[in-house]
Amino acid sequence: MAKISSEGFRAPAPFQGLNVNFCKNPKCDNFGVPETAHRSRRAPGTEAAPGSYSLVAAGRGKPLLKCGLCGEHLPMRSNQGIHEELMRVMSYLLDSTEPACPNEACSLHTVPLSLAGEMYVQRGKTAAGTQRYRCNACAKTFSGPGKSTKKHRLPHKNREVFALLISKVPLRRMAWLTQMDRKSLYGKLDFIYQQCLRFAGDRERRLLHGMELPKLYLATDRQTLAVNWSNRKDRRNITLQSIATADLTSGYVFGADLNFDPSLDLETVNNEALEIGDVEKPQPYRRYARLWLRADYEAAVAEAQARKDAKAPKRRGAFATDPLAETITQTYADAAAREDVEEVVILESDQTLPKTGVEVRDQYTVYAHFLMLERLIGHAPKVRVYMDLDSGFRAAFMAAFRQQISERRADGWFVRIMKESTIDQKKAMVLKAKKRIDEAMVNVNDEKTTQRDVEILLTLAEMERMAKLGKWDDRWLTHPVPNMAEPDKRVCWLTDIDQAETDHDRREDQLRHHARLYLRASLHAVDRFFMRVRRSLTLAERPYATASSDRRMWHGYSAYQPRNLAMVLTIFKVAHNYCLVDDSGETPAMRLGLAKGPVALEDVLYFSG
């Protein structure tokens, strides 16, 4: 069992003002309240006060935090590890390329051009044509970043490579089409990636600075992506997770964060962890808590395989005639059986760690994603996040938006969709729902009643018969208006903590408002983005089985280096948000207010800040 830290905390100490180790139950008085350091011992018979937690064990070296008020058992995370991961995924937002006075003794040192006003004046240009500036405070001269294509031998190939990258052209075919050697092509890939980061960072910093936003309805999910084996003696694939959040109204995608850090070396991290005794500490208290070390990964794979072998066959339970409810119930059962309820991704025996870079523990990337999301759009008047049924998503959302939830400016929902249906099954479910709506319209028999009014009435009826599923008795509603993309859909409101209105009319308005929120529940925006990723990037295509007897999964055009996969994913996200128009002729960035029109690929490539 871990001891109390030197700062007086049982849980990992806060880091840089960040602390995610607290009760995630929004109905508990400990919600959002971290542990009280050096708390006094509670007298027998007295009630626990907010900030009261205790340590319990889920297994050897796996401590949990137990809430002293509601009794919930909470997996702990290293706050330092989450902060490091947050800085990694937000680096494109924090690293401004705006020029500033380089004189460390000057009062304007590091003050960017946009904030210095008349203290910076233009002072001619360099021999390469880059604008120079003079600081009026210290008379020091300096230049801007210059052209993005400086030192390029084949700048005319940039747009062609960019267009081919997001058009599902394999890299080898791309080299042949552009008549470029492999080294030059990968150089172009890196250049386009860096330019996409600079361009997206410049636009999204407006969100960080408080750009006015409407009420936001968001969808969050994860996508599994694979990297091919690179060693014939070890043909295990590398499997990574990409988490993304998309705006249901505009389609804008916030982050497509892969749990992979290319800036580190696994051997170096492993050696340093051994030197400082990291592997002997419980995981939340480690210096390298956010990273998968080789020994931990192999142990986790073996443990997952043992659980898989010992797992009893699924039984047809109370929801045998309702496959989606049965799936939800089984998901809850699997979560309750895990030592760490938040670790959703199960490692398989045919997976291994990357040979270059370091794989990040998935839940640290999930926390970083939601924390970045809160910094970008947490100032919106309302934020509603519809998430796939994922206990890791729930914990990270509650941690990141705890203030907005307490102020009733943010809500979280689980959404589970039956995606395995055939086309005929989907058509039958949609037709059945349409028939139900038509019958309700006839029964209402009021010309002023719209179809939306009827949908709200049907939702109110479903709210009366919601089913309690899983260990935590979460209440799930059957969505009454399915479509072909989401033919059978269930919704669970995770932050249903509003006090019921006592006045009859106000209560009716409140219930109708809740019904409208249930009706909005969807994962379509993020699922559509993931579909476009599969269809537009060869490095993200689905696998197929090899012809050999062992039937290993092979990813024909997939990357051999995880860093390349991470780069093309970011490149496509920027193109999706700013460059690729839909049937209306608009881009997601235009609808969100981050662009006035479609952005040409050249404007991204030659962006200079």
Side-chain angles (χ1 to χ4, degrees):
M1 180 61 63
K3 297 180 180 179
I4 298 177
S5 69
S6 59
E7 293 86 352
F9 293 94
R10 290 167 175 78
F15 186 83
Q16 299 290 318
L18 178 66
N19 191 353
V20 302
N21 296 308
F22 51 75
C23 183
K24 310 299 193 306
N25 177 6
K27 296 181 180 180
C28 177
D29 287 340
N30 254 351
F31 174 67
V33 180
E35 172 189 15
T36 301
H38 303 291
R39 64 186 178 92
S40 58
R41 195 176 188 86
R42 181 163 55 93
T46 60
E47 294 185 359
S52 176
Y53 297 88
S54 59
L55 281 182
V56 296
R60 186 175 181 181
K62 297 181 179 179
L64 298 176
L65 202 61
K66 181 180 178 181
C67 176
L69 300 184
C70 70
E72 194 72 26
H73 289 74
L74 314 163
M76 294 184 292
R77 304 292 166 207
S78 164
N79 292 304
Q80 181 175 354
I82 290 179
H83 185 270
E84 290 172 352
E85 186 67 1
L86 176 61
M87 292 301 100
R88 183 184 73 84
V89 300
M90 286 188 66
S91 59
Y92 76 103
L93 291 164
L94 305 176
D95 292 339
S96 174
T97 57
E98 258 195 295
C101 179
N103 183 5
E104 296 182 1
C106 179
S107 60
L108 294 179
H109 178 56
T110 73
V111 176
L113 189 68
S114 59
L115 300 179
E118 297 180 355
M119 295 304 293
Y120 293 158
V121 294
Q122 293 185 0
R123 189 72 171 179
K125 294 184 178 182
T126 66
T130 303
Q131 182 65 56
R132 291 185 65 84
Y133 302 91
R134 188 189 69 186
C135 173
N136 284 339
C138 67
K140 186 76 173 180
T141 59
F142 57 94
S143 60
K147 294 182 179 179
S148 62
T149 55
K150 186 168 56 178
K151 298 183 180 179
H152 278 218
R153 291 190 300 109
L154 301 170
H156 58 287
K157 299 283 188 180
N158 293 333
R159 189 195 185 282
E160 184 179 3
V161 173
F162 195 167
L164 293 173
L165 273 174
I166 59 176
S167 302
K168 204 164 188 178
V169 178
L171 292 177
R172 288 188 178 182
R173 179 63 60 83
M174 202 181 303
W176 181 80
L177 289 171
T178 59
Q179 297 182 337
M180 295 173 64
D181 60 81
R182 185 174 178 178
K183 181 179 179 181
S184 298
L185 181 61
Y186 279 100
K188 294 291 185 190
L189 173 61
D190 188 75
F191 163 73
I192 296 170
Y193 168 69
Q194 295 296 337
Q195 286 301 109
C196 285
L197 289 179
R198 294 175 67 184
F199 178 85
D202 180 74
R203 293 298 176 99
E204 292 187 8
R205 271 192 290 274
R206 302 176 191 178
L207 298 173
L208 283 180
H209 296 155
M211 182 184 114
E212 186 175 352
L213 291 169
K215 294 179 181 179
L216 294 177
Y217 301 85
L218 310 174
T220 301
D221 204 351
R222 70 172 87 222
Q223 183 176 44
T224 301
L225 299 169
V227 178
N228 276 323
W229 65 76
S230 57
N231 186 345
R232 291 182 179 274
K233 295 181 180 180
D234 183 1
R235 299 192 177 189
R236 292 176 295 174
N237 290 319
I238 299 162
T239 304
L240 302 173
Q241 301 293 321
S242 170
I243 174 175
T245 295
D247 180 18
L248 288 170
T249 304
S250 67
Y252 193 91
V253 175
F254 299 95
D257 301 317
L258 208 62
N259 61 323
F260 173 74
D261 191 336
S263 67
L264 301 175
D265 175 70
L266 181 57
E267 290 302 322
T268 301
V269 171
N270 264 310
N271 292 337
E272 291 182 2
L274 289 172
E275 288 178 7
I276 63 177
D278 226 20
V279 294
E280 300 171 3
K281 301 175 184 177
Q283 195 270 333
Y285 300 89
R286 295 181 180 181
R287 169 63 187 86
Y288 294 107
R290 75 181 178 104
L291 305 175
W292 274 113
L293 304 180
R294 185 172 286 109
D296 292 334
Y297 192 88
E298 292 174 355
V301 169
E303 183 179 337
Q305 187 61 44
R307 288 203 306 268
K308 184 177 179 181
D309 294 340
K311 192 174 183 178
K314 295 181 181 179
R315 298 179 180 179
R316 297 178 68 84
F319 302 98
T321 58
D322 189 343
L324 185 52
E326 193 71 27
T327 298
I328 293 172
T329 303
Q330 186 61 47
T331 302
Y332 277 117
D334 292 342
R338 294 193 297 268
E339 292 177 344
D340 187 335
V341 69
E342 296 177 12
E343 289 188 349
V344 175
V345 178
I346 304 301
L347 303 178
E348 300 289 347
S349 58
D350 62 348
Q351 298 174 7
T352 188
L353 292 172
K355 298 297 186 294
T356 59
V358 181
E359 184 173 340
V360 179
R361 288 178 179 264
D362 176 72
Q363 191 57 19
Y364 281 83
T365 305
V366 171
Y367 268 96
H369 176 85
F370 277 99
L371 286 166
M372 179 185 71
L373 193 65
E374 189 276 334
R375 284 155 173 75
L376 287 174
I377 54 89
H379 60 281
K382 296 284 185 179
V383 178
R384 273 73 183 241
V385 184
Y386 299 100
M387 303 168 279
D388 186 30
L389 175 52
D390 186 312
S391 52
F393 288 174
R394 176 189 177 277
F397 168 76
M398 296 294 184
F401 286 87
R402 63 185 183 275
Q403 180 179 344
Q404 290 88 344
I405 293 171
S406 298
E407 295 173 354
R408 304 308 298 128
R409 294 194 297 110
D411 283 289
W413 310 69
F414 275 157
V415 179
R416 178 49 64 97
I417 300 163
M418 181 61 76
K419 299 180 180 180
E420 292 75 22
S421 308
T422 65
I423 293 295
D424 290 338
Q425 290 172 331
K426 291 179 180 180
K427 288 181 178 179
M429 284 185 277
V430 173
L431 186 62
K432 182 179 179 180
K434 185 177 184 303
K435 183 178 179 181
R436 184 185 177 193
I437 293 172
D438 291 341
E439 290 175 352
M441 289 283 289
V442 172
N443 293 334
V444 171
N445 194 25
D446 185 347
E447 294 182 357
K448 295 182 179 180
T449 301
T450 64
Q451 179 172 321
R452 186 64 174 178
D453 294 330
V454 170
E455 291 173 354
I456 291 174
L457 291 175
L458 293 176
T459 305
L460 289 169
E462 292 294 344
M463 289 167 59
E464 292 292 329
R465 49 176 174 264
M466 287 191 287
K468 292 183 178 180
L469 302 178
K471 173 184 174 181
W472 296 274
D473 287 336
D474 287 343
R475 301 171 72 236
W476 286 79
L477 174 139
T478 300
H479 200 285
V481 191
N483 53 47
M484 290 297 289
E486 299 175 333
D488 188 4
K489 179 165 54 180
R490 308 296 162 87
V491 188
C492 173
W493 191 359
L494 300 173
T495 53
D496 183 8
I497 57 177
D498 293 332
Q499 293 293 325
E501 294 285 355
T502 56
D503 179 79
H504 179 269
D505 292 339
R506 289 185 177 181
R507 179 58 177 166
E508 288 295 314
D509 290 341
Q510 185 182 43
L511 290 174
R512 293 176 70 85
H513 173 63
H514 293 174
R516 287 191 289 270
L517 293 178
Y518 276 111
L519 277 172
R520 277 186 173 269
S522 174
L523 298 177
H524 179 68
V526 68
D527 285 345
R528 180 174 179 270
F529 172 71
F530 285 154
M531 178 196 69
R532 296 185 77 182
V533 167
R534 296 285 192 196
R535 293 183 177 180
S536 303
L537 301 177
T538 56
L539 300 188
E541 71 169 4
R542 294 188 182 277
Y544 56 87
T546 62
S548 60
S549 59
D550 60 7
R551 303 295 288 173
R552 290 185 179 275
M553 300 307 294
W554 177 253
H555 305 255
Y557 294 108
S558 295
Y560 288 87
Q561 296 293 337
R563 183 174 182 270
N564 293 337
L565 175 60
M567 287 195 294
V568 298
L569 194 61
T570 295
I571 290 170
F572 182 76
K573 182 196 72 172
V574 173
H576 166 86
N577 284 337
Y578 293 94
C579 306
L580 303 178
V581 299
D582 57 16
D583 294 339
S584 68
E586 294 184 322
T587 64
M590 292 169 62
R591 286 188 286 267
L592 189 64
L594 287 173
K596 294 181 179 179
V599 177
L601 298 184
E602 292 89 346
D603 291 337
V604 177
L605 290 170
Y606 307 126
F607 175 77
S608 59

